[in-house]
Amino acid sequence: PGFHVREAPGFEEWMAGERERLRGTAARVGWTLAWDQLQRGALPEAEHTGRRALGLNGIGEREVLRFIRALADAGDRAGAVAFYDRFIRHLREDLDLEPSEEGRSTLARIRAGVPTAETGPSSRLLTPDRYTRPDPHPGSGACSPPPAG
């Protein structure tokens, strides 16, 4: 689907690069909006926007955990759990990866209603190129939300 120019492989390569660049830009804008919505207390909207941004370009587990902790801390534990469940499904189905032990632990704490401040950011969290892998293929790139604060 899309626009094609016959006998112009350079154009096709450029178009593919532009699509990827624009997808990354849209994901960054989406994450910025999701964090803004979260800060304004628009929790269902933040979860929805974050889900859309995640679908555009993915994100590292560290950032997903930061986002679900913020959702849970703001009072949307169900949205946080649903968000991470979708992320796990993405890891498994699209990337053939498993979430980190810290991710599973954080999810369990949120489900149990344990304050997430106790599970704050950790350097042990996985970034896209360091997930637990059942195979040796490298991870994919990621898009990060704006800095906290």
Side-chain angles (χ1 to χ4, degrees):
F3 184 72
H4 298 284
V5 176
R6 289 184 203 234
E7 300 178 26
F11 178 79
E12 296 299 325
E13 291 171 18
W14 173 83
M15 180 71 86
E18 284 299 293
R19 280 188 189 116
E20 189 61 31
R21 183 184 67 77
L22 292 172
R23 179 168 294 174
T25 298
R28 282 188 300 279
V29 169
W31 280 111
T32 299
L33 177 60
W35 281 98
D36 181 63
Q37 290 167 326
L38 195 135
Q39 290 174 347
R40 289 186 287 115
L43 306 184
E45 293 84 356
E47 191 272 333
H48 176 77
T49 304
R51 186 170 11 107
R52 298 279 310 262
L54 180 64
L56 284 171
N57 204 25
I59 192 167
E61 186 176 38
R62 176 187 320 266
E63 305 306 335
V64 167
L65 292 179
R66 189 172 138 231
F67 187 72
I68 67 168
R69 285 183 189 116
L71 272 175
D73 288 345
D76 190 3
R77 284 186 18 225
V81 168
F83 192 91
Y84 196 68
D85 283 345
R86 282 186 202 94
F87 179 71
I88 290 172
R89 192 168 38 254
H90 164 69
L91 286 178
R92 290 179 176 154
E93 294 174 5
D94 300 337
L95 304 174
D96 198 25
L97 302 173
E98 291 295 320
S100 68
E101 178 59 37
E102 182 125 7
R104 291 187 296 268
S105 172
T106 298
L107 182 62
R109 293 173 70 95
I110 290 172
R111 282 188 169 133
V114 176
T116 62
E118 296 176 21
T119 63
S122 166
S123 61
R124 295 181 319 209
L125 293 181
L126 300 173
T127 54
D129 60 337
R130 295 177 44 217
Y131 289 114
T132 303
R133 295 190 145 280
D135 63 42
H137 300 303
S140 64
C143 169
S144 298

